[in-house]
Amino acid sequence: MQSQSRLAGRTADPDVLDLLEQFGVSVAVGRDEEIYRKDGVADCCWRVSSGCVRRVEYLDNGLRHVNAFLMPGDLFGLDEGRNFTAEAAISTTLRCYPRSAVEALAKANPALAMRLGALTIKNLHHAYQHMVLLGRKTAAERVASFVLEMDQRIGKSTNGALSLPMGRADIADYLGITRETLSRVLTEMGRQGTVKLDRGRIELHDRPSLHERAGSRYTERHCGIGLHAQPRRNGVGAFL
């Protein structure tokens, strides 16, 4: 079986990361099941085939911080040094690669080494943008930024149909707000006509207004969370 068929959402274009498939093993993980624990033994790295993984940290005061969401095709567990716990946000299928084999193959293959290095830089950039989002943006700006992020990451691969694989509690913990605040902001956006909420679904009706609310510019350039986004047709999303 070709590696493309194992990884949901992948295109037919060759990817140097597919070299890892020679020693990959599929693993099914149930909703809320732990994949690895913070400070645990880092003997594997992982790639999401289907579903969604959240990277979390449980704080001493009992609160939970969601650091990132990993979507189909995303590789994780290699560069963050087990600084977070990884859990399945929904029922998820993963590809597991022995870390020692990945590191040995990267040493022998410069293209793979460059690709892994680029992913590390991308993760650092995401961490920086997430820090800015939590430290400098209001609750409304955070929610708008999140909607745009998911529109970029999920919507573009489904021709405008956006279906969020994480629940509102996960989103609230990612944005550093309460579920009540999240619901209030979404309801306000609905009243303003920016989005439409319908039985757990959200339709994006006004992307320029979303960018204005997020404190970002609406251009054709795609640069990540809450910055520049590529305008597309209206999308639909659902909270689980």
mmCIF file of all heavy atoms in Angstrom, residues 157-197:
data_model
loop_
_atom_site.group_PDB
_atom_site.id
_atom_site.type_symbol
_atom_site.label_atom_id
_atom_site.label_comp_id
_atom_site.label_asym_id
_atom_site.label_seq_id
_atom_site.Cartn_x
_atom_site.Cartn_y
_atom_site.Cartn_z
ATOM 1 N N SER A 157 -7.997 22.299 2.461
ATOM 2 C CA SER A 157 -7.845 20.923 2.003
ATOM 3 C C SER A 157 -9.173 20.232 1.757
ATOM 4 O O SER A 157 -9.218 19.098 1.315
ATOM 5 C CB SER A 157 -7.041 20.115 3.030
ATOM 6 O OG SER A 157 -7.755 20.000 4.246
ATOM 7 N N THR A 158 -10.278 20.932 2.044
ATOM 8 C CA THR A 158 -11.600 20.336 1.857
ATOM 9 C C THR A 158 -12.503 21.219 1.000
ATOM 10 O O THR A 158 -13.709 21.167 1.108
ATOM 11 C CB THR A 158 -12.270 20.100 3.223
ATOM 12 O OG1 THR A 158 -12.293 21.330 3.961
ATOM 13 C CG2 THR A 158 -11.539 19.050 4.026
ATOM 14 N N ASN A 159 -11.870 22.050 0.152
ATOM 15 C CA ASN A 159 -12.619 22.892 -0.778
ATOM 16 C C ASN A 159 -13.655 23.769 -0.078
ATOM 17 O O ASN A 159 -14.767 23.936 -0.566
ATOM 18 C CB ASN A 159 -13.290 22.026 -1.845
ATOM 19 C CG ASN A 159 -12.283 21.303 -2.707
ATOM 20 O OD1 ASN A 159 -11.243 21.867 -3.044
ATOM 21 N ND2 ASN A 159 -12.559 20.069 -3.067
ATOM 22 N N GLY A 160 -13.277 24.309 1.067
ATOM 23 C CA GLY A 160 -14.138 25.260 1.743
ATOM 24 C C GLY A 160 -15.007 24.667 2.834
ATOM 25 O O GLY A 160 -15.644 25.406 3.566
ATOM 26 N N ALA A 161 -15.074 23.340 2.962
ATOM 27 C CA ALA A 161 -15.887 22.715 4.004
ATOM 28 C C ALA A 161 -15.028 22.518 5.241
ATOM 29 O O ALA A 161 -14.119 21.704 5.247
ATOM 30 C CB ALA A 161 -16.444 21.381 3.525
ATOM 31 N N LEU A 162 -15.317 23.278 6.293
ATOM 32 C CA LEU A 162 -14.504 23.256 7.507
ATOM 33 C C LEU A 162 -15.219 22.482 8.594
ATOM 34 O O LEU A 162 -16.333 22.819 8.975
ATOM 35 C CB LEU A 162 -14.254 24.702 7.957
ATOM 36 C CG LEU A 162 -13.396 24.909 9.203
ATOM 37 C CD1 LEU A 162 -11.959 24.479 8.933
ATOM 38 C CD2 LEU A 162 -13.431 26.374 9.613
ATOM 39 N N SER A 163 -14.598 21.425 9.094
ATOM 40 C CA SER A 163 -15.169 20.636 10.173
ATOM 41 C C SER A 163 -14.128 20.528 11.279
ATOM 42 O O SER A 163 -13.108 19.843 11.125
ATOM 43 C CB SER A 163 -15.544 19.234 9.676
ATOM 44 O OG SER A 163 -16.139 18.483 10.701
ATOM 45 N N LEU A 164 -14.378 21.200 12.388
ATOM 46 C CA LEU A 164 -13.397 21.244 13.469
ATOM 47 C C LEU A 164 -13.388 19.931 14.243
ATOM 48 O O LEU A 164 -14.437 19.498 14.725
ATOM 49 C CB LEU A 164 -13.715 22.398 14.417
ATOM 50 C CG LEU A 164 -13.668 23.797 13.792
ATOM 51 C CD1 LEU A 164 -13.995 24.836 14.851
ATOM 52 C CD2 LEU A 164 -12.315 24.070 13.177
ATOM 53 N N PRO A 165 -12.231 19.295 14.377
ATOM 54 C CA PRO A 165 -12.153 18.002 15.048
ATOM 55 C C PRO A 165 -11.943 18.084 16.552
ATOM 56 O O PRO A 165 -11.661 17.067 17.181
ATOM 57 C CB PRO A 165 -10.934 17.356 14.374
ATOM 58 C CG PRO A 165 -10.036 18.514 14.095
ATOM 59 C CD PRO A 165 -10.950 19.663 13.754
ATOM 60 N N MET A 166 -12.035 19.267 17.102
ATOM 61 C CA MET A 166 -11.844 19.426 18.547
ATOM 62 C C MET A 166 -13.065 20.097 19.159
ATOM 63 O O MET A 166 -13.791 20.839 18.485
ATOM 64 C CB MET A 166 -10.569 20.227 18.861
ATOM 65 C CG MET A 166 -10.616 21.689 18.510
ATOM 66 S SD MET A 166 -10.587 22.060 16.732
ATOM 67 C CE MET A 166 -8.906 21.603 16.313
ATOM 68 N N GLY A 167 -13.289 19.836 20.444
ATOM 69 C CA GLY A 167 -14.440 20.409 21.126
ATOM 70 C C GLY A 167 -14.174 21.811 21.644
ATOM 71 O O GLY A 167 -13.051 22.318 21.600
ATOM 72 N N ARG A 168 -15.228 22.448 22.169
ATOM 73 C CA ARG A 168 -15.100 23.817 22.646
ATOM 74 C C ARG A 168 -14.183 23.925 23.862
ATOM 75 O O ARG A 168 -13.506 24.936 24.043
ATOM 76 C CB ARG A 168 -16.478 24.390 22.967
ATOM 77 C CG ARG A 168 -17.342 24.571 21.734
ATOM 78 C CD ARG A 168 -18.440 25.589 21.950
ATOM 79 N NE ARG A 168 -19.286 25.714 20.768
ATOM 80 C CZ ARG A 168 -20.118 26.725 20.552
ATOM 81 N NH1 ARG A 168 -20.227 27.687 21.453
ATOM 82 N NH2 ARG A 168 -20.851 26.775 19.458
ATOM 83 N N ALA A 169 -14.158 22.892 24.706
ATOM 84 C CA ALA A 169 -13.258 22.937 25.861
ATOM 85 C C ALA A 169 -11.805 22.983 25.395
ATOM 86 O O ALA A 169 -10.977 23.710 25.957
ATOM 87 C CB ALA A 169 -13.493 21.729 26.762
ATOM 88 N N ASP A 170 -11.468 22.190 24.359
ATOM 89 C CA ASP A 170 -10.110 22.210 23.809
ATOM 90 C C ASP A 170 -9.777 23.583 23.240
ATOM 91 O O ASP A 170 -8.679 24.112 23.460
ATOM 92 C CB ASP A 170 -9.969 21.154 22.710
ATOM 93 C CG ASP A 170 -9.880 19.741 23.243
ATOM 94 O OD1 ASP A 170 -9.503 19.580 24.425
ATOM 95 O OD2 ASP A 170 -10.174 18.800 22.492
ATOM 96 N N ILE A 171 -10.723 24.151 22.490
ATOM 97 C CA ILE A 171 -10.488 25.457 21.872
ATOM 98 C C ILE A 171 -10.287 26.524 22.943
ATOM 99 O O ILE A 171 -9.373 27.353 22.854
ATOM 100 C CB ILE A 171 -11.667 25.832 20.956
ATOM 101 C CG1 ILE A 171 -11.772 24.835 19.794
ATOM 102 C CG2 ILE A 171 -11.493 27.249 20.409
ATOM 103 C CD1 ILE A 171 -13.034 24.987 18.976
ATOM 104 N N ALA A 172 -11.125 26.493 23.976
ATOM 105 C CA ALA A 172 -11.002 27.479 25.054
ATOM 106 C C ALA A 172 -9.650 27.380 25.745
ATOM 107 O O ALA A 172 -9.003 28.400 26.029
ATOM 108 C CB ALA A 172 -12.132 27.290 26.065
ATOM 109 N N ASP A 173 -9.185 26.153 26.003
ATOM 110 C CA ASP A 173 -7.891 25.966 26.662
ATOM 111 C C ASP A 173 -6.730 26.344 25.747
ATOM 112 O O ASP A 173 -5.646 26.696 26.205
ATOM 113 C CB ASP A 173 -7.743 24.520 27.133
ATOM 114 C CG ASP A 173 -8.629 24.216 28.327
ATOM 115 O OD1 ASP A 173 -9.165 25.162 28.922
ATOM 116 O OD2 ASP A 173 -8.797 23.022 28.655
ATOM 117 N N TYR A 174 -6.924 26.251 24.447
ATOM 118 C CA TYR A 174 -5.915 26.678 23.482
ATOM 119 C C TYR A 174 -5.814 28.200 23.445
ATOM 120 O O TYR A 174 -4.724 28.760 23.309
ATOM 121 C CB TYR A 174 -6.288 26.136 22.100
ATOM 122 C CG TYR A 174 -5.364 26.539 20.975
ATOM 123 C CD1 TYR A 174 -4.076 26.008 20.864
ATOM 124 C CD2 TYR A 174 -5.784 27.436 19.991
ATOM 125 C CE1 TYR A 174 -3.240 26.371 19.816
ATOM 126 C CE2 TYR A 174 -4.960 27.795 18.941
ATOM 127 C CZ TYR A 174 -3.692 27.252 18.856
ATOM 128 O OH TYR A 174 -2.862 27.608 17.816
ATOM 129 N N LEU A 175 -6.961 28.857 23.600
ATOM 130 C CA LEU A 175 -7.009 30.314 23.525
ATOM 131 C C LEU A 175 -6.832 30.996 24.880
ATOM 132 O O LEU A 175 -6.743 32.219 24.945
ATOM 133 C CB LEU A 175 -8.340 30.759 22.899
ATOM 134 C CG LEU A 175 -8.589 30.281 21.465
ATOM 135 C CD1 LEU A 175 -9.954 30.749 20.981
ATOM 136 C CD2 LEU A 175 -7.496 30.774 20.530
ATOM 137 N N GLY A 176 -6.824 30.211 25.959
ATOM 138 C CA GLY A 176 -6.652 30.795 27.279
ATOM 139 C C GLY A 176 -7.860 31.564 27.763
ATOM 140 O O GLY A 176 -7.727 32.580 28.463
ATOM 141 N N ILE A 177 -9.056 31.096 27.385
ATOM 142 C CA ILE A 177 -10.305 31.729 27.808
ATOM 143 C C ILE A 177 -11.241 30.634 28.324
ATOM 144 O O ILE A 177 -10.944 29.451 28.216
ATOM 145 C CB ILE A 177 -10.980 32.505 26.659
ATOM 146 C CG1 ILE A 177 -11.292 31.566 25.482
ATOM 147 C CG2 ILE A 177 -10.096 33.658 26.205
ATOM 148 C CD1 ILE A 177 -11.986 32.251 24.318
ATOM 149 N N THR A 178 -12.372 31.032 28.879
ATOM 150 C CA THR A 178 -13.341 30.049 29.348
ATOM 151 C C THR A 178 -14.265 29.641 28.209
ATOM 152 O O THR A 178 -14.382 30.347 27.193
ATOM 153 C CB THR A 178 -14.194 30.620 30.495
ATOM 154 O OG1 THR A 178 -14.977 31.722 29.989
ATOM 155 C CG2 THR A 178 -13.299 31.104 31.641
ATOM 156 N N ARG A 179 -14.952 28.511 28.394
ATOM 157 C CA ARG A 179 -15.930 28.086 27.385
ATOM 158 C C ARG A 179 -17.051 29.100 27.256
ATOM 159 O O ARG A 179 -17.570 29.335 26.161
ATOM 160 C CB ARG A 179 -16.507 26.715 27.759
ATOM 161 C CG ARG A 179 -15.535 25.563 27.649
ATOM 162 C CD ARG A 179 -16.211 24.226 27.911
ATOM 163 N NE ARG A 179 -17.260 23.946 26.937
ATOM 164 C CZ ARG A 179 -18.005 22.851 26.946
ATOM 165 N NH1 ARG A 179 -17.833 21.939 27.902
ATOM 166 N NH2 ARG A 179 -18.928 22.652 26.027
ATOM 167 N N GLU A 180 -17.421 29.724 28.376
ATOM 168 C CA GLU A 180 -18.478 30.723 28.351
ATOM 169 C C GLU A 180 -18.071 31.934 27.506
ATOM 170 O O GLU A 180 -18.881 32.467 26.727
ATOM 171 C CB GLU A 180 -18.826 31.166 29.770
ATOM 172 C CG GLU A 180 -19.499 30.097 30.629
ATOM 173 C CD GLU A 180 -18.532 29.014 31.123
ATOM 174 O OE1 GLU A 180 -17.300 29.252 31.084
ATOM 175 O OE2 GLU A 180 -19.019 27.954 31.542
ATOM 176 N N THR A 181 -16.819 32.353 27.665
ATOM 177 C CA THR A 181 -16.328 33.478 26.866
ATOM 178 C C THR A 181 -16.287 33.108 25.387
ATOM 179 O O THR A 181 -16.664 33.913 24.524
ATOM 180 C CB THR A 181 -14.930 33.901 27.342
ATOM 181 O OG1 THR A 181 -15.007 34.344 28.699
ATOM 182 C CG2 THR A 181 -14.372 35.029 26.486
ATOM 183 N N LEU A 182 -15.827 31.892 25.088
ATOM 184 C CA LEU A 182 -15.801 31.429 23.701
ATOM 185 C C LEU A 182 -17.194 31.471 23.092
ATOM 186 O O LEU A 182 -17.393 31.979 21.978
ATOM 187 C CB LEU A 182 -15.232 30.010 23.645
ATOM 188 C CG LEU A 182 -15.258 29.311 22.284
ATOM 189 C CD1 LEU A 182 -14.420 30.063 21.257
ATOM 190 C CD2 LEU A 182 -14.767 27.862 22.421
ATOM 191 N N SER A 183 -18.172 30.944 23.812
ATOM 192 C CA SER A 183 -19.550 30.923 23.306
ATOM 193 C C SER A 183 -20.089 32.337 23.121
ATOM 194 O O SER A 183 -20.779 32.631 22.133
ATOM 195 C CB SER A 183 -20.447 30.138 24.257
ATOM 196 O OG SER A 183 -20.066 28.774 24.314
ATOM 197 N N ARG A 184 -19.779 33.225 24.085
ATOM 198 C CA ARG A 184 -20.263 34.604 23.995
ATOM 199 C C ARG A 184 -19.701 35.304 22.765
ATOM 200 O O ARG A 184 -20.431 35.994 22.030
ATOM 201 C CB ARG A 184 -19.882 35.380 25.259
ATOM 202 C CG ARG A 184 -20.240 36.860 25.217
ATOM 203 C CD ARG A 184 -19.863 37.565 26.498
ATOM 204 N NE ARG A 184 -18.460 37.404 26.855
ATOM 205 C CZ ARG A 184 -17.468 38.092 26.277
ATOM 206 N NH1 ARG A 184 -17.737 38.965 25.314
ATOM 207 N NH2 ARG A 184 -16.225 37.907 26.658
ATOM 208 N N VAL A 185 -18.403 35.129 22.521
ATOM 209 C CA VAL A 185 -17.774 35.787 21.370
ATOM 210 C C VAL A 185 -18.335 35.238 20.062
ATOM 211 O O VAL A 185 -18.627 35.999 19.131
ATOM 212 C CB VAL A 185 -16.242 35.604 21.416
ATOM 213 C CG1 VAL A 185 -15.597 36.117 20.126
ATOM 214 C CG2 VAL A 185 -15.655 36.349 22.616
ATOM 215 N N LEU A 186 -18.515 33.924 19.971
ATOM 216 C CA LEU A 186 -19.071 33.334 18.754
ATOM 217 C C LEU A 186 -20.503 33.815 18.514
ATOM 218 O O LEU A 186 -20.895 34.102 17.378
ATOM 219 C CB LEU A 186 -19.041 31.813 18.845
ATOM 220 C CG LEU A 186 -17.666 31.157 18.716
ATOM 221 C CD1 LEU A 186 -17.755 29.667 19.024
ATOM 222 C CD2 LEU A 186 -17.089 31.370 17.318
ATOM 223 N N THR A 187 -21.282 33.917 19.595
ATOM 224 C CA THR A 187 -22.653 34.409 19.465
ATOM 225 C C THR A 187 -22.668 35.852 18.979
ATOM 226 O O THR A 187 -23.475 36.243 18.123
ATOM 227 C CB THR A 187 -23.385 34.303 20.816
ATOM 228 O OG1 THR A 187 -23.429 32.928 21.227
ATOM 229 C CG2 THR A 187 -24.806 34.826 20.703
ATOM 230 N N GLU A 188 -21.756 36.656 19.510
ATOM 231 C CA GLU A 188 -21.657 38.052 19.075
ATOM 232 C C GLU A 188 -21.273 38.131 17.599
ATOM 233 O O GLU A 188 -21.834 38.941 16.845
ATOM 234 C CB GLU A 188 -20.614 38.785 19.925
ATOM 235 C CG GLU A 188 -20.431 40.244 19.552
ATOM 236 C CD GLU A 188 -19.322 40.912 20.343
ATOM 237 O OE1 GLU A 188 -18.750 40.258 21.238
ATOM 238 O OE2 GLU A 188 -19.019 42.089 20.053
ATOM 239 N N MET A 189 -20.330 37.293 17.169
ATOM 240 C CA MET A 189 -19.955 37.264 15.752
ATOM 241 C C MET A 189 -21.146 36.870 14.882
ATOM 242 O O MET A 189 -21.315 37.382 13.776
ATOM 243 C CB MET A 189 -18.807 36.270 15.536
ATOM 244 C CG MET A 189 -17.472 36.709 16.069
ATOM 245 S SD MET A 189 -16.197 35.466 15.714
ATOM 246 C CE MET A 189 -14.752 36.277 16.391
ATOM 247 N N GLY A 190 -21.968 35.957 15.409
ATOM 248 C CA GLY A 190 -23.160 35.551 14.677
ATOM 249 C C GLY A 190 -24.149 36.687 14.529
ATOM 250 O O GLY A 190 -24.735 36.893 13.459
ATOM 251 N N ARG A 191 -24.350 37.457 15.589
ATOM 252 C CA ARG A 191 -25.269 38.594 15.533
ATOM 253 C C ARG A 191 -24.793 39.660 14.543
ATOM 254 O O ARG A 191 -25.601 40.329 13.894
ATOM 255 C CB ARG A 191 -25.434 39.216 16.922
ATOM 256 C CG ARG A 191 -26.277 38.391 17.888
ATOM 257 C CD ARG A 191 -26.754 39.262 19.037
ATOM 258 N NE ARG A 191 -25.640 39.828 19.776
ATOM 259 C CZ ARG A 191 -25.110 39.299 20.881
ATOM 260 N NH1 ARG A 191 -25.614 38.181 21.369
ATOM 261 N NH2 ARG A 191 -24.101 39.884 21.494
ATOM 262 N N GLN A 192 -23.482 39.792 14.431
ATOM 263 C CA GLN A 192 -22.909 40.793 13.531
ATOM 264 C C GLN A 192 -22.856 40.312 12.086
ATOM 265 O O GLN A 192 -22.513 41.089 11.192
ATOM 266 C CB GLN A 192 -21.507 41.182 14.009
ATOM 267 C CG GLN A 192 -21.499 41.891 15.354
ATOM 268 C CD GLN A 192 -20.099 42.143 15.874
ATOM 269 O OE1 GLN A 192 -19.122 41.576 15.369
ATOM 270 N NE2 GLN A 192 -19.985 43.005 16.866
ATOM 271 N N GLY A 193 -23.152 39.035 11.857
ATOM 272 C CA GLY A 193 -23.146 38.510 10.500
ATOM 273 C C GLY A 193 -21.780 38.074 10.006
ATOM 274 O O GLY A 193 -21.625 37.722 8.835
ATOM 275 N N THR A 194 -20.786 38.071 10.896
ATOM 276 C CA THR A 194 -19.450 37.632 10.504
ATOM 277 C C THR A 194 -19.424 36.129 10.276
ATOM 278 O O THR A 194 -18.772 35.628 9.346
ATOM 279 C CB THR A 194 -18.420 38.016 11.582
ATOM 280 O OG1 THR A 194 -18.511 39.408 11.836
ATOM 281 C CG2 THR A 194 -17.008 37.673 11.129
ATOM 282 N N VAL A 195 -20.106 35.399 11.156
ATOM 283 C CA VAL A 195 -20.262 33.951 11.010
ATOM 284 C C VAL A 195 -21.725 33.616 11.247
ATOM 285 O O VAL A 195 -22.499 34.452 11.730
ATOM 286 C CB VAL A 195 -19.371 33.164 12.004
ATOM 287 C CG1 VAL A 195 -17.900 33.488 11.799
ATOM 288 C CG2 VAL A 195 -19.801 33.455 13.448
ATOM 289 N N LYS A 196 -22.100 32.409 10.913
ATOM 290 C CA LYS A 196 -23.447 31.931 11.209
ATOM 291 C C LYS A 196 -23.344 30.638 11.990
ATOM 292 O O LYS A 196 -22.672 29.698 11.562
ATOM 293 C CB LYS A 196 -24.243 31.693 9.921
ATOM 294 C CG LYS A 196 -25.659 31.170 10.179
ATOM 295 C CD LYS A 196 -26.398 30.911 8.875
ATOM 296 C CE LYS A 196 -27.794 30.343 9.157
ATOM 297 N NZ LYS A 196 -28.521 30.057 7.895
ATOM 298 N N LEU A 197 -23.972 30.595 13.164
ATOM 299 C CA LEU A 197 -23.993 29.412 14.001
ATOM 300 C C LEU A 197 -25.323 28.697 13.814
ATOM 301 O O LEU A 197 -26.382 29.319 13.933
ATOM 302 C CB LEU A 197 -23.798 29.797 15.473
ATOM 303 C CG LEU A 197 -22.529 30.584 15.807
ATOM 304 C CD1 LEU A 197 -22.533 30.971 17.270
ATOM 305 C CD2 LEU A 197 -21.289 29.777 15.458
#
